[in-house]
Amino acid sequence: MSLREAALAVRENAYVPYSRYKVGAALRTPSGAVYVGCNVENVAYPEGTCAEAGAIAAMVAAGETEIAEAYVIADAEHPVPPCGGCRQKLAEFAKSGVTVTLATLDGTEHVTKVAELLPGAFSASHMERT
């Protein structure tokens, strides 16, 4: 199954009774495994979870910690980029050159890199003391 197919399928499981805005995400790791996530809303905004965060949580729960490729899909006129928090989450688990494809249901895609989504990302190196 392609990342697009995986993201599209999990998108249908999104729990979005308030916004009705379904998002699906699929991540491939260096092992070839694919992890998926969808957005989950909560009446107490902003206590929901983004699709990217859900996919990352599934990946970590399975014992993996590196993203080799990511795909995010939503029903929008133009590909929708991850929120700021998810950009930081992607940067935590993906090297700066990792491809992130942002897509719409009609097949429009925008291919970018983690470093382009979050230039100057805060990283573990910023916490090192000399």
Side-chain angles (χ1 to χ4, degrees):
M1 176 179 285
S2 73
L3 286 185
R4 178 180 173 80
E5 292 168 328
L8 193 57
V10 75
R11 180 188 164 277
E12 290 305 314
N13 295 336
Y15 179 77
V16 292
Y18 310 105
S19 72
R20 307 267 191 270
Y21 189 75
K22 294 181 177 185
V23 180
L27 311 172
R28 186 179 321 281
T29 62
S31 73
V34 173
Y35 299 95
V36 297
C38 58
N39 53 326
V40 178
E41 294 179 346
N42 187 296
V43 71
Y45 281 102
E47 295 303 316
T49 305
C50 296
E52 299 91 335
I56 290 168
M59 176 189 73
V60 172
E64 298 207 56
T65 57
E66 184 179 348
I67 298 169
E69 183 180 3
Y71 196 100
V72 182
I73 190 165
D75 185 10
E77 186 177 345
H78 303 286
V80 178
C83 72
C86 285
R87 291 173 192 225
Q88 184 66 48
K89 289 174 181 72
L90 288 166
E92 179 75 17
F93 296 100
K95 293 180 175 82
S96 62
V98 165
T99 299
V100 179
T101 303
L102 311 172
T104 65
L105 296 183
D106 71 7
T108 302
E109 293 184 344
H110 173 72
V111 179
T112 188
K113 303 287 184 191
V114 169
E116 294 168 348
L117 287 173
L118 190 62
F122 183 76
S123 69
S125 68
H126 292 103
M127 299 189 61
E128 294 175 1
R129 294 179 183 233
T130 55

